[in-house]
Amino acid sequence: MKKTYKIEVDCANCANKMELAANQIEGVKTATVNFMAQKMIVEFEDGREPKEVMPQVLKKCQIVAMDCEIFF
């Protein structure tokens, strides 16, 4: 399953760090952050529920970019 989320991030470097962090989360198959569009596209591993995985993604992203926001 693939879902798109609106994000708020201030710089391209932080967006890159968010992408790297999201891809380390168990349950995320791939994550791509588009800084210009302020969107994150996440493809989840089979059998994983987005509502269970995304809080972990947000927590990890806020470690690398404290002022980021993901709206899900």
Side-chain angles (χ1 to χ4, degrees), residues 3-40:
K3 293 192 82 153
T4 301
Y5 299 92
K6 182 181 177 344
I7 63 170
E8 285 184 10
V9 63
D10 294 335
C11 71
N13 187 44
C14 293
N16 186 48
K17 288 179 183 178
M18 285 177 62
E19 183 175 306
L20 293 172
N23 276 297
Q24 294 175 0
I25 301 297
E26 186 178 331
V28 173
K29 189 172 185 179
T30 60
T32 306
V33 174
N34 184 321
F35 172 68
M36 295 301 289
Q38 294 284 291
K39 295 192 185 280
M40 176 185 278

